Amino acid sequence: MSGRTVLLTGATGYIASHTWLALLAQGWRVVGVDDFSNSSPKVFDRLQAMAGRSLAFQRADVCDKSAMNSVFAHYRPDAVVHFAALKAVGESVVAPLAYYRNNLMGLLNVCDVMRTHDCHHLVFSSSATVYGVPERLPITEDAPLSATNPYGQTKLMGETVLRDLCASDERWRVACLRYFNPVGAHESGRIGEDPRGTPNNLMPYVAQVAVGRLDKLQVYGNDYDTPDGTGVRDYIHVDDVADGHVAALRYLFNTARSVTVNLGTGQGYSVLDVVKAFARASGRPVPYVVVPRRPGDVAACYADPTRAAELLGWRAGHGLARMCQDSWRWQQMNPQGFETPSPA
Ligand SMILES: NC(=O)c1ccc[n+]([C@@H]2O[C@H](COP(=O)([O-])OP(=O)(O)OC[C@H]3O[C@@H](n4cnc5c(N)ncnc54)[C@H](O)[C@@H]3O)[C@@H](O)[C@H]2O)c1
C-alpha cells in the first residue's frame, strides 16, 4: 500500500495513535486530524519522536466542513479511517444531543467531503455496543442489532448511514469494524490510554488502583451467570485493533468490497480474571470491593472473530497477560498520562 495516503480523524486518540504507527510501519502515508477535545497535542509530539520524522497533522473539528475541505484539498487522501467521536456511554445518556451532533454530524460531514474530493474508501470505528443485549455467544456479525443508550445509537445509525451510502453509489468501499474492549498500550510505554478524570473502563481503572492513584476497584455485581459471577468481556490489545485497521484498508483496496467485522479475540475474561492478571503483571495488589450491578450491564459479551480471520486475514495475537503488562508499563512510565514529562 506504499504511496497511498490515509486520513485519520480523531488521530491523537487512544486507538488512532496506535493505528497511526501500524500504518506507517506498513508503508502508508498518514495525515491526522483532531480537535483535541479528548486528547492532548503531546500525543502528536510523542508519535513524531517514535516515528523519528515529522508527521502530517491538522488541528480541526470534523464537523467543520470548510476546515475538512482544506485538509482534503491539501493532502488528497485515498482513504479515511474515521475514529473521531465522543465515546462515554454514561455521558451520552446525560448529554444525548452532544453525542448525536458530534458523532453523526461528524460522520455525515466526513462522507460529504470525501465524496466532493472523489475519495470513497472508508473505515468506520463501530463497536460491539451495536449488539445491545446479546442473545447468543459468541456474537457473530449477523446477530440482531440494537442500542441501549445514545452512544450506541450513534454507532448503529452510523452503520445505517454507511450501508445506505454504499447502496446509493457503487464507488463506496466501507469497512465497519466492531471493536470489543480495546485495552493495553504500545510496548514502548510511550503511548497508551489517558482517560480524563476517573476512568470509565476497567483496565485503566485497575492500573490506577495498582499504582496507588485510586483506592480500590468497585466490582459491579458478582451474581451474574458467569463462572465467577462477575461480568465477562472480550478484551483485545490495542495493537491488535490497530492491525485490524491496516488489514481492513488492504481488504478495501484489494477486493473492492465493503465489509462489517468484529474485532475481538473470541475469548471472554471476567472482571476478577483481569484483576488477577493485572496483579500478576504489576506485582502489586489490586484491592476491590463488590457493589450492586450497574443498570444496563450485560453478563457476558465476546466475539466470534471468524469473519475477520476469513476475510481480512486478521486475528488477535496478544493474550491477557500481555495486555496487562503493556498497560502497567504505560501506567508506570506515565503516572500523569501525557502530562508526564516525555522520556522521548
Ligand atoms: N475505546 C473503546 O473502548 C472503544 C470501543 C468501541 C468503539 N470505540 C470507538 O473508537 C473510536 C476511537 O476511540 P478511542 O477509544 O480511541 O477514543 P478517544 O477519545 O481516545 O479518541 C477519539 C479522538 O477523537 C477526537 N475527536 C472527538 N470529536 C472530534 C471532532 N468533532 N473533531 C475532531 N476530533 C474529534 C478526540 O479528541 C480524540 O482524540 C471512537 O469512535 C469510539 O467510539 C472505542
Side-chain angles (χ1 to χ4, degrees), residues 9-17 33-40 60-63 82-87 102-103 106 124-129 151 155 177-182 193 201:
T9 71
T12 45
Y14 171 47
I15 302 170
S17 54
V33 164
D34 204 297
D35 66 356
F36 299 128
S37 54
N38 196 40
S39 57
S40 159
D61 179 344
V62 291
C63 297
H82 182 52
F83 292 100
L86 299 174
K87 63 163 184 178
N102 195 57
N103 295 5
F124 176 60
S125 292
S126 189
S127 165
T129 191
Y151 167 71
K155 293 298 176 188
L177 304 184
R178 295 176 178 159
Y179 316 150
F180 278 65
N181 294 72
E193 187 171 11
N201 294 337

mmCIF file of all heavy atoms in Angstrom, residues 9-17 33-40 60-63 82-87 102-103 106 124-129 151 155 177-182 193 201, ligand 1:
data_model
loop_
_atom_site.group_PDB
_atom_site.id
_atom_site.type_symbol
_atom_site.label_atom_id
_atom_site.label_comp_id
_atom_site.label_asym_id
_atom_site.label_seq_id
_atom_site.Cartn_x
_atom_site.Cartn_y
_atom_site.Cartn_z
ATOM 1 N N THR A 9 -9.153 10.544 11.303
ATOM 2 C CA THR A 9 -9.839 11.544 12.140
ATOM 3 C C THR A 9 -9.779 11.049 13.581
ATOM 4 O O THR A 9 -9.779 9.845 13.826
ATOM 5 C CB THR A 9 -11.306 11.738 11.720
ATOM 6 O OG1 THR A 9 -12.056 10.577 12.095
ATOM 7 C CG2 THR A 9 -11.445 11.979 10.219
ATOM 8 N N GLY A 10 -9.704 11.980 14.525
ATOM 9 C CA GLY A 10 -9.516 11.566 15.924
ATOM 10 C C GLY A 10 -8.142 10.956 16.114
ATOM 11 O O GLY A 10 -7.938 10.054 16.922
ATOM 12 N N ALA A 11 -7.165 11.502 15.348
ATOM 13 C CA ALA A 11 -5.861 10.851 15.158
ATOM 14 C C ALA A 11 -4.998 10.774 16.398
ATOM 15 O O ALA A 11 -4.123 9.915 16.482
ATOM 16 C CB ALA A 11 -5.098 11.597 14.058
ATOM 17 N N THR A 12 -5.210 11.679 17.371
ATOM 18 C CA THR A 12 -4.373 11.634 18.576
ATOM 19 C C THR A 12 -5.087 10.912 19.723
ATOM 20 O O THR A 12 -4.621 10.951 20.862
ATOM 21 C CB THR A 12 -3.934 13.048 19.000
ATOM 22 O OG1 THR A 12 -5.075 13.918 18.941
ATOM 23 C CG2 THR A 12 -2.854 13.582 18.088
ATOM 24 N N GLY A 13 -6.215 10.280 19.417
ATOM 25 C CA GLY A 13 -6.917 9.485 20.425
ATOM 26 C C GLY A 13 -6.205 8.160 20.671
ATOM 27 O O GLY A 13 -5.183 7.837 20.045
ATOM 28 N N TYR A 14 -6.768 7.403 21.589
ATOM 29 C CA TYR A 14 -6.154 6.153 22.062
ATOM 30 C C TYR A 14 -5.939 5.153 20.911
ATOM 31 O O TYR A 14 -4.800 4.734 20.638
ATOM 32 C CB TYR A 14 -7.061 5.580 23.146
ATOM 33 C CG TYR A 14 -6.740 4.200 23.637
ATOM 34 C CD1 TYR A 14 -5.431 3.834 23.968
ATOM 35 C CD2 TYR A 14 -7.757 3.262 23.793
ATOM 36 C CE1 TYR A 14 -5.155 2.556 24.449
ATOM 37 C CE2 TYR A 14 -7.487 1.998 24.286
ATOM 38 C CZ TYR A 14 -6.181 1.643 24.599
ATOM 39 O OH TYR A 14 -5.916 0.391 25.063
ATOM 40 N N ILE A 15 -6.987 4.785 20.229
ATOM 41 C CA ILE A 15 -6.847 3.722 19.213
ATOM 42 C C ILE A 15 -6.155 4.263 17.951
ATOM 43 O O ILE A 15 -5.296 3.605 17.361
ATOM 44 C CB ILE A 15 -8.225 3.104 18.870
ATOM 45 C CG1 ILE A 15 -8.867 2.529 20.153
ATOM 46 C CG2 ILE A 15 -8.082 2.013 17.811
ATOM 47 C CD1 ILE A 15 -10.311 2.099 20.001
ATOM 48 N N ALA A 16 -6.514 5.505 17.576
ATOM 49 C CA ALA A 16 -5.927 6.073 16.355
ATOM 50 C C ALA A 16 -4.415 6.233 16.463
ATOM 51 O O ALA A 16 -3.687 6.009 15.488
ATOM 52 C CB ALA A 16 -6.572 7.420 16.050
ATOM 53 N N SER A 17 -3.917 6.610 17.652
ATOM 54 C CA SER A 17 -2.466 6.842 17.766
ATOM 55 C C SER A 17 -1.698 5.536 17.526
ATOM 56 O O SER A 17 -0.655 5.532 16.868
ATOM 57 C CB SER A 17 -2.119 7.461 19.119
ATOM 58 O OG SER A 17 -2.621 6.680 20.175
ATOM 59 N N VAL A 33 -6.050 14.277 11.811
ATOM 60 C CA VAL A 33 -6.883 15.427 12.185
ATOM 61 C C VAL A 33 -7.464 15.156 13.563
ATOM 62 O O VAL A 33 -7.939 14.049 13.813
ATOM 63 C CB VAL A 33 -8.040 15.611 11.160
ATOM 64 C CG1 VAL A 33 -9.114 16.528 11.720
ATOM 65 C CG2 VAL A 33 -7.526 16.143 9.849
ATOM 66 N N ASP A 34 -7.413 16.147 14.441
ATOM 67 C CA ASP A 34 -8.057 16.007 15.750
ATOM 68 C C ASP A 34 -8.325 17.403 16.283
ATOM 69 O O ASP A 34 -7.592 18.346 15.970
ATOM 70 C CB ASP A 34 -7.141 15.237 16.726
ATOM 71 C CG ASP A 34 -7.907 14.559 17.853
ATOM 72 O OD1 ASP A 34 -8.545 15.273 18.665
ATOM 73 O OD2 ASP A 34 -7.878 13.329 17.935
ATOM 74 N N ASP A 35 -9.375 17.524 17.088
ATOM 75 C CA ASP A 35 -9.629 18.835 17.699
ATOM 76 C C ASP A 35 -9.167 18.868 19.164
ATOM 77 O O ASP A 35 -9.402 19.851 19.856
ATOM 78 C CB ASP A 35 -11.123 19.223 17.601
ATOM 79 C CG ASP A 35 -12.011 18.298 18.418
ATOM 80 O OD1 ASP A 35 -11.506 17.306 18.996
ATOM 81 O OD2 ASP A 35 -13.233 18.558 18.464
ATOM 82 N N PHE A 36 -8.543 17.792 19.615
ATOM 83 C CA PHE A 36 -8.032 17.659 20.986
ATOM 84 C C PHE A 36 -9.134 17.761 22.047
ATOM 85 O O PHE A 36 -8.871 18.097 23.190
ATOM 86 C CB PHE A 36 -6.931 18.687 21.286
ATOM 87 C CG PHE A 36 -5.723 18.548 20.390
ATOM 88 C CD1 PHE A 36 -5.221 19.647 19.703
ATOM 89 C CD2 PHE A 36 -5.090 17.319 20.240
ATOM 90 C CE1 PHE A 36 -4.111 19.524 18.873
ATOM 91 C CE2 PHE A 36 -3.976 17.188 19.411
ATOM 92 C CZ PHE A 36 -3.489 18.292 18.723
ATOM 93 N N SER A 37 -10.388 17.470 21.646
ATOM 94 C CA SER A 37 -11.460 17.523 22.655
ATOM 95 C C SER A 37 -11.293 16.400 23.670
ATOM 96 O O SER A 37 -11.744 16.512 24.795
ATOM 97 C CB SER A 37 -12.839 17.467 21.992
ATOM 98 O OG SER A 37 -12.929 16.347 21.142
ATOM 99 N N ASN A 38 -10.653 15.301 23.280
ATOM 100 C CA ASN A 38 -10.410 14.229 24.258
ATOM 101 C C ASN A 38 -8.994 13.648 24.120
ATOM 102 O O ASN A 38 -8.778 12.459 24.335
ATOM 103 C CB ASN A 38 -11.450 13.115 24.113
ATOM 104 C CG ASN A 38 -11.474 12.211 25.339
ATOM 105 O OD1 ASN A 38 -11.356 12.685 26.472
ATOM 106 N ND2 ASN A 38 -11.588 10.906 25.131
ATOM 107 N N SER A 39 -8.050 14.503 23.734
ATOM 108 C CA SER A 39 -6.654 14.042 23.644
ATOM 109 C C SER A 39 -5.752 15.257 23.758
ATOM 110 O O SER A 39 -6.229 16.390 23.770
ATOM 111 C CB SER A 39 -6.402 13.285 22.334
ATOM 112 O OG SER A 39 -6.725 14.102 21.236
ATOM 113 N N SER A 40 -4.463 14.981 23.798
ATOM 114 C CA SER A 40 -3.510 16.064 24.050
ATOM 115 C C SER A 40 -2.581 16.236 22.841
ATOM 116 O O SER A 40 -2.187 15.251 22.219
ATOM 117 C CB SER A 40 -2.680 15.679 25.272
ATOM 118 O OG SER A 40 -1.484 16.398 25.301
ATOM 119 N N ALA A 60 -8.325 20.249 13.715
ATOM 120 C CA ALA A 60 -9.613 20.632 13.123
ATOM 121 C C ALA A 60 -10.727 19.798 13.737
ATOM 122 O O ALA A 60 -10.500 18.680 14.202
ATOM 123 C CB ALA A 60 -9.598 20.414 11.608
ATOM 124 N N ASP A 61 -11.920 20.379 13.708
ATOM 125 C CA ASP A 61 -13.131 19.688 14.149
ATOM 126 C C ASP A 61 -13.747 19.036 12.904
ATOM 127 O O ASP A 61 -13.955 19.717 11.886
ATOM 128 C CB ASP A 61 -14.075 20.751 14.743
ATOM 129 C CG ASP A 61 -15.399 20.171 15.220
ATOM 130 O OD1 ASP A 61 -15.743 19.042 14.841
ATOM 131 O OD2 ASP A 61 -16.102 20.893 15.955
ATOM 132 N N VAL A 62 -14.034 17.748 12.963
ATOM 133 C CA VAL A 62 -14.574 17.077 11.773
ATOM 134 C C VAL A 62 -15.957 17.618 11.384
ATOM 135 O O VAL A 62 -16.421 17.399 10.264
ATOM 136 C CB VAL A 62 -14.658 15.534 11.928
ATOM 137 C CG1 VAL A 62 -13.276 14.906 11.954
ATOM 138 C CG2 VAL A 62 -15.478 15.127 13.140
ATOM 139 N N CYS A 63 -16.614 18.329 12.314
ATOM 140 C CA CYS A 63 -17.908 18.931 11.969
ATOM 141 C C CYS A 63 -17.741 20.249 11.203
ATOM 142 O O CYS A 63 -18.726 20.821 10.726
ATOM 143 C CB CYS A 63 -18.726 19.175 13.240
ATOM 144 S SG CYS A 63 -19.140 17.649 14.100
ATOM 145 N N HIS A 82 -12.230 6.800 10.147
ATOM 146 C CA HIS A 82 -12.974 7.788 10.941
ATOM 147 C C HIS A 82 -13.132 7.304 12.388
ATOM 148 O O HIS A 82 -14.058 6.572 12.718
ATOM 149 C CB HIS A 82 -14.344 8.031 10.300
ATOM 150 C CG HIS A 82 -15.151 9.059 11.014
ATOM 151 N ND1 HIS A 82 -14.664 10.317 11.318
ATOM 152 C CD2 HIS A 82 -16.418 9.041 11.509
ATOM 153 C CE1 HIS A 82 -15.601 11.011 11.953
ATOM 154 N NE2 HIS A 82 -16.665 10.252 12.098
ATOM 155 N N PHE A 83 -12.188 7.758 13.238
ATOM 156 C CA PHE A 83 -12.218 7.424 14.667
ATOM 157 C C PHE A 83 -12.963 8.493 15.469
ATOM 158 O O PHE A 83 -13.491 8.187 16.542
ATOM 159 C CB PHE A 83 -10.796 7.383 15.241
ATOM 160 C CG PHE A 83 -9.916 6.280 14.761
ATOM 161 C CD1 PHE A 83 -8.961 6.501 13.775
ATOM 162 C CD2 PHE A 83 -10.013 5.010 15.307
ATOM 163 C CE1 PHE A 83 -8.116 5.492 13.355
ATOM 164 C CE2 PHE A 83 -9.177 3.989 14.894
ATOM 165 C CZ PHE A 83 -8.226 4.229 13.912
ATOM 166 N N ALA A 84 -12.924 9.748 15.002
ATOM 167 C CA ALA A 84 -13.367 10.869 15.845
ATOM 168 C C ALA A 84 -14.802 10.679 16.311
ATOM 169 O O ALA A 84 -15.721 10.555 15.497
ATOM 170 C CB ALA A 84 -13.248 12.178 15.065
ATOM 171 N N ALA A 85 -14.983 10.655 17.611
ATOM 172 C CA ALA A 85 -16.319 10.524 18.197
ATOM 173 C C ALA A 85 -16.200 10.736 19.695
ATOM 174 O O ALA A 85 -15.122 10.600 20.269
ATOM 175 C CB ALA A 85 -16.893 9.132 17.919
ATOM 176 N N LEU A 86 -17.342 11.058 20.308
ATOM 177 C CA LEU A 86 -17.433 11.010 21.766
ATOM 178 C C LEU A 86 -17.794 9.581 22.124
ATOM 179 O O LEU A 86 -18.556 8.936 21.399
ATOM 180 C CB LEU A 86 -18.516 11.975 22.255
ATOM 181 C CG LEU A 86 -18.294 13.454 21.911
ATOM 182 C CD1 LEU A 86 -19.513 14.286 22.322
ATOM 183 C CD2 LEU A 86 -17.039 13.979 22.585
ATOM 184 N N LYS A 87 -17.286 9.074 23.274
ATOM 185 C CA LYS A 87 -17.417 7.623 23.489
ATOM 186 C C LYS A 87 -17.846 7.183 24.885
ATOM 187 O O LYS A 87 -17.809 5.992 25.179
ATOM 188 C CB LYS A 87 -16.097 6.948 23.149
ATOM 189 C CG LYS A 87 -14.949 7.372 24.041
ATOM 190 C CD LYS A 87 -13.777 6.434 23.980
ATOM 191 C CE LYS A 87 -12.706 6.834 24.957
ATOM 192 N NZ LYS A 87 -11.565 5.958 25.004
ATOM 193 N N ASN A 102 -22.089 15.420 17.484
ATOM 194 C CA ASN A 102 -20.678 15.180 17.161
ATOM 195 C C ASN A 102 -20.505 13.894 16.345
ATOM 196 O O ASN A 102 -19.835 13.882 15.310
ATOM 197 C CB ASN A 102 -19.860 15.089 18.445
ATOM 198 C CG ASN A 102 -18.371 15.212 18.182
ATOM 199 O OD1 ASN A 102 -17.916 16.193 17.602
ATOM 200 N ND2 ASN A 102 -17.612 14.216 18.566
ATOM 201 N N ASN A 103 -21.134 12.816 16.788
ATOM 202 C CA ASN A 103 -20.862 11.529 16.147
ATOM 203 C C ASN A 103 -21.561 11.393 14.799
ATOM 204 O O ASN A 103 -20.984 10.837 13.859
ATOM 205 C CB ASN A 103 -21.262 10.384 17.082
ATOM 206 C CG ASN A 103 -20.393 10.352 18.343
ATOM 207 O OD1 ASN A 103 -19.567 11.240 18.553
ATOM 208 N ND2 ASN A 103 -20.578 9.351 19.186
ATOM 209 N N GLY A 106 -20.411 14.584 12.449
ATOM 210 C CA GLY A 106 -19.018 14.336 12.064
ATOM 211 C C GLY A 106 -18.956 13.332 10.924
ATOM 212 O O GLY A 106 -18.280 13.565 9.913
ATOM 213 N N PHE A 124 -14.762 2.675 9.385
ATOM 214 C CA PHE A 124 -15.556 3.324 10.431
ATOM 215 C C PHE A 124 -15.380 2.596 11.762
ATOM 216 O O PHE A 124 -15.511 1.374 11.828
ATOM 217 C CB PHE A 124 -17.034 3.316 10.019
ATOM 218 C CG PHE A 124 -17.979 3.868 11.061
ATOM 219 C CD1 PHE A 124 -17.857 5.181 11.508
ATOM 220 C CD2 PHE A 124 -18.998 3.078 11.584
ATOM 221 C CE1 PHE A 124 -18.733 5.689 12.463
ATOM 222 C CE2 PHE A 124 -19.874 3.586 12.539
ATOM 223 C CZ PHE A 124 -19.749 4.892 12.979
ATOM 224 N N SER A 125 -15.089 3.373 12.830
ATOM 225 C CA SER A 125 -14.974 2.814 14.188
ATOM 226 C C SER A 125 -16.362 2.525 14.716
ATOM 227 O O SER A 125 -17.036 3.411 15.239
ATOM 228 C CB SER A 125 -14.344 3.832 15.135
ATOM 229 O OG SER A 125 -13.017 4.075 14.818
ATOM 230 N N SER A 126 -16.796 1.267 14.610
ATOM 231 C CA SER A 126 -18.051 0.894 15.250
ATOM 232 C C SER A 126 -17.712 0.162 16.543
ATOM 233 O O SER A 126 -16.569 0.218 17.016
ATOM 234 C CB SER A 126 -18.914 0.062 14.303
ATOM 235 O OG SER A 126 -20.200 -0.114 14.879
ATOM 236 N N SER A 127 -18.685 -0.503 17.108
ATOM 237 C CA SER A 127 -18.480 -1.039 18.461
ATOM 238 C C SER A 127 -19.373 -2.244 18.693
ATOM 239 O O SER A 127 -20.474 -2.343 18.121
ATOM 240 C CB SER A 127 -18.844 0.068 19.456
ATOM 241 O OG SER A 127 -19.008 -0.465 20.733
ATOM 242 N N ALA A 128 -18.933 -3.107 19.593
ATOM 243 C CA ALA A 128 -19.766 -4.247 19.993
ATOM 244 C C ALA A 128 -21.046 -3.777 20.669
ATOM 245 O O ALA A 128 -21.980 -4.573 20.821
ATOM 246 C CB ALA A 128 -18.983 -5.142 20.951
ATOM 247 N N THR A 129 -21.105 -2.510 21.034
ATOM 248 C CA THR A 129 -22.321 -1.986 21.662
ATOM 249 C C THR A 129 -23.522 -2.081 20.713
ATOM 250 O O THR A 129 -24.668 -2.089 21.171
ATOM 251 C CB THR A 129 -22.104 -0.532 22.156
ATOM 252 O OG1 THR A 129 -23.194 -0.157 22.971
ATOM 253 C CG2 THR A 129 -21.982 0.446 21.025
ATOM 254 N N TYR A 151 -25.039 6.747 22.894
ATOM 255 C CA TYR A 151 -23.755 6.454 22.238
ATOM 256 C C TYR A 151 -23.916 5.276 21.275
ATOM 257 O O TYR A 151 -23.507 5.349 20.112
ATOM 258 C CB TYR A 151 -22.678 6.141 23.294
ATOM 259 C CG TYR A 151 -21.434 5.528 22.695
ATOM 260 C CD1 TYR A 151 -20.563 6.281 21.919
ATOM 261 C CD2 TYR A 151 -21.139 4.165 22.881
ATOM 262 C CE1 TYR A 151 -19.425 5.710 21.349
ATOM 263 C CE2 TYR A 151 -20.008 3.583 22.322
ATOM 264 C CZ TYR A 151 -19.159 4.362 21.558
ATOM 265 O OH TYR A 151 -18.045 3.788 20.990
ATOM 266 N N LYS A 155 -23.584 4.774 16.907
ATOM 267 C CA LYS A 155 -22.807 3.788 16.147
ATOM 268 C C LYS A 155 -23.733 3.009 15.203
ATOM 269 O O LYS A 155 -23.392 2.751 14.043
ATOM 270 C CB LYS A 155 -22.080 2.831 17.103
ATOM 271 C CG LYS A 155 -20.988 3.515 17.914
ATOM 272 C CD LYS A 155 -19.886 4.089 17.020
ATOM 273 C CE LYS A 155 -18.840 4.867 17.772
ATOM 274 N NZ LYS A 155 -17.885 5.565 16.932
ATOM 275 N N LEU A 177 -15.847 -1.636 11.550
ATOM 276 C CA LEU A 177 -15.111 -2.503 12.480
ATOM 277 C C LEU A 177 -15.758 -2.384 13.856
ATOM 278 O O LEU A 177 -15.783 -1.299 14.446
ATOM 279 C CB LEU A 177 -13.634 -2.091 12.543
ATOM 280 C CG LEU A 177 -12.899 -2.061 11.204
ATOM 281 C CD1 LEU A 177 -11.414 -1.738 11.414
ATOM 282 C CD2 LEU A 177 -13.047 -3.379 10.452
ATOM 283 N N ARG A 178 -16.311 -3.504 14.310
ATOM 284 C CA ARG A 178 -16.981 -3.505 15.618
ATOM 285 C C ARG A 178 -15.975 -3.957 16.678
ATOM 286 O O ARG A 178 -15.745 -5.157 16.842
ATOM 287 C CB ARG A 178 -18.199 -4.430 15.575
ATOM 288 C CG ARG A 178 -19.273 -3.930 14.612
ATOM 289 C CD ARG A 178 -20.424 -4.914 14.504
ATOM 290 N NE ARG A 178 -21.461 -4.400 13.618
ATOM 291 C CZ ARG A 178 -22.381 -5.149 13.013
ATOM 292 N NH1 ARG A 178 -22.401 -6.467 13.236
ATOM 293 N NH2 ARG A 178 -23.279 -4.609 12.228
ATOM 294 N N TYR A 179 -15.389 -2.958 17.357
ATOM 295 C CA TYR A 179 -14.389 -3.290 18.371
ATOM 296 C C TYR A 179 -15.081 -3.844 19.598
ATOM 297 O O TYR A 179 -16.117 -3.327 20.020
ATOM 298 C CB TYR A 179 -13.607 -2.068 18.860
ATOM 299 C CG TYR A 179 -13.119 -1.073 17.841
ATOM 300 C CD1 TYR A 179 -12.990 0.265 18.196
ATOM 301 C CD2 TYR A 179 -12.752 -1.450 16.552
ATOM 302 C CE1 TYR A 179 -12.522 1.209 17.304
ATOM 303 C CE2 TYR A 179 -12.272 -0.508 15.655
ATOM 304 C CZ TYR A 179 -12.174 0.819 16.031
ATOM 305 O OH TYR A 179 -11.714 1.759 15.152
ATOM 306 N N PHE A 180 -14.435 -4.809 20.247
ATOM 307 C CA PHE A 180 -14.919 -5.280 21.540
ATOM 308 C C PHE A 180 -14.294 -4.379 22.631
ATOM 309 O O PHE A 180 -14.634 -3.208 22.683
ATOM 310 C CB PHE A 180 -14.748 -6.797 21.665
ATOM 311 C CG PHE A 180 -15.924 -7.476 20.967
ATOM 312 C CD1 PHE A 180 -16.096 -7.356 19.583
ATOM 313 C CD2 PHE A 180 -16.914 -8.119 21.689
ATOM 314 C CE1 PHE A 180 -17.230 -7.876 18.940
ATOM 315 C CE2 PHE A 180 -18.038 -8.654 21.063
ATOM 316 C CZ PHE A 180 -18.196 -8.531 19.698
ATOM 317 N N ASN A 181 -13.379 -4.832 23.454
ATOM 318 C CA ASN A 181 -12.885 -3.956 24.529
ATOM 319 C C ASN A 181 -11.385 -3.703 24.386
ATOM 320 O O ASN A 181 -10.581 -4.438 24.973
ATOM 321 C CB ASN A 181 -13.184 -4.579 25.899
ATOM 322 C CG ASN A 181 -14.683 -4.644 26.153
ATOM 323 O OD1 ASN A 181 -15.390 -5.446 25.550
ATOM 324 N ND2 ASN A 181 -15.173 -3.792 27.008
ATOM 325 N N PRO A 182 -11.004 -2.666 23.649
ATOM 326 C CA PRO A 182 -9.578 -2.388 23.453
ATOM 327 C C PRO A 182 -8.909 -1.985 24.772
ATOM 328 O O PRO A 182 -9.437 -1.146 25.509
ATOM 329 C CB PRO A 182 -9.568 -1.209 22.475
ATOM 330 C CG PRO A 182 -10.927 -1.189 21.858
ATOM 331 C CD PRO A 182 -11.855 -1.726 22.902
ATOM 332 N N GLU A 193 -3.653 4.626 26.807
ATOM 333 C CA GLU A 193 -4.952 5.252 27.084
ATOM 334 C C GLU A 193 -4.795 6.226 28.260
ATOM 335 O O GLU A 193 -4.282 5.851 29.308
ATOM 336 C CB GLU A 193 -5.981 4.167 27.429
ATOM 337 C CG GLU A 193 -7.391 4.714 27.558
ATOM 338 C CD GLU A 193 -8.456 3.629 27.689
ATOM 339 O OE1 GLU A 193 -8.090 2.449 27.885
ATOM 340 O OE2 GLU A 193 -9.643 3.975 27.598
ATOM 341 N N ASN A 201 -13.447 2.815 32.022
ATOM 342 C CA ASN A 201 -13.204 1.425 31.612
ATOM 343 C C ASN A 201 -12.375 0.683 32.648
ATOM 344 O O ASN A 201 -11.598 1.281 33.396
ATOM 345 C CB ASN A 201 -12.490 1.386 30.254
ATOM 346 C CG ASN A 201 -13.386 1.919 29.152
ATOM 347 O OD1 ASN A 201 -14.618 1.907 29.290
ATOM 348 N ND2 ASN A 201 -12.782 2.406 28.090
HETATM 349 N N1 LIG B 1 -12.048 2.592 23.341
HETATM 350 C C1 LIG B 1 -13.078 1.776 23.259
HETATM 351 O O1 LIG B 1 -13.364 1.025 24.210
HETATM 352 C C2 LIG B 1 -13.940 1.748 22.013
HETATM 353 C C3 LIG B 1 -14.784 0.642 21.799
HETATM 354 C C4 LIG B 1 -15.574 0.623 20.668
HETATM 355 C C5 LIG B 1 -15.538 1.685 19.761
HETATM 356 N N2 LIG B 1 -14.736 2.746 20.002
HETATM 357 C C6 LIG B 1 -14.721 3.855 19.034
HETATM 358 O O2 LIG B 1 -13.412 4.005 18.531
HETATM 359 C C7 LIG B 1 -13.146 5.369 18.220
HETATM 360 C C8 LIG B 1 -11.861 5.788 18.915
HETATM 361 O O3 LIG B 1 -11.997 5.548 20.310
HETATM 362 P P1 LIG B 1 -10.843 5.878 21.353
HETATM 363 O O4 LIG B 1 -11.009 4.944 22.488
HETATM 364 O O5 LIG B 1 -9.535 5.975 20.661
HETATM 365 O O6 LIG B 1 -11.345 7.320 21.834
HETATM 366 P P2 LIG B 1 -10.526 8.667 22.096
HETATM 367 O O7 LIG B 1 -11.468 9.603 22.785
HETATM 368 O O8 LIG B 1 -9.222 8.365 22.746
HETATM 369 O O9 LIG B 1 -10.241 9.167 20.612
HETATM 370 C C9 LIG B 1 -11.184 9.915 19.878
HETATM 371 C C10 LIG B 1 -10.458 11.149 19.364
HETATM 372 O O10 LIG B 1 -11.384 11.886 18.558
HETATM 373 C C11 LIG B 1 -11.206 13.261 18.850
HETATM 374 N N3 LIG B 1 -12.469 13.914 18.470
HETATM 375 C C12 LIG B 1 -13.688 13.773 19.045
HETATM 376 N N4 LIG B 1 -14.579 14.553 18.395
HETATM 377 C C13 LIG B 1 -13.904 15.208 17.420
HETATM 378 C C14 LIG B 1 -14.280 16.141 16.422
HETATM 379 N N5 LIG B 1 -15.523 16.603 16.310
HETATM 380 N N6 LIG B 1 -13.333 16.584 15.560
HETATM 381 C C15 LIG B 1 -12.046 16.132 15.653
HETATM 382 N N7 LIG B 1 -11.639 15.239 16.577
HETATM 383 C C16 LIG B 1 -12.565 14.794 17.454
HETATM 384 C C17 LIG B 1 -10.848 13.335 20.318
HETATM 385 O O11 LIG B 1 -10.128 14.499 20.653
HETATM 386 C C18 LIG B 1 -9.984 12.081 20.482
HETATM 387 O O12 LIG B 1 -8.614 12.371 20.278
HETATM 388 C C19 LIG B 1 -14.379 6.147 18.662
HETATM 389 O O13 LIG B 1 -15.198 6.321 17.527
HETATM 390 C C20 LIG B 1 -15.052 5.215 19.648
HETATM 391 O O14 LIG B 1 -16.443 5.429 19.716
HETATM 392 C C21 LIG B 1 -13.926 2.798 21.105
#
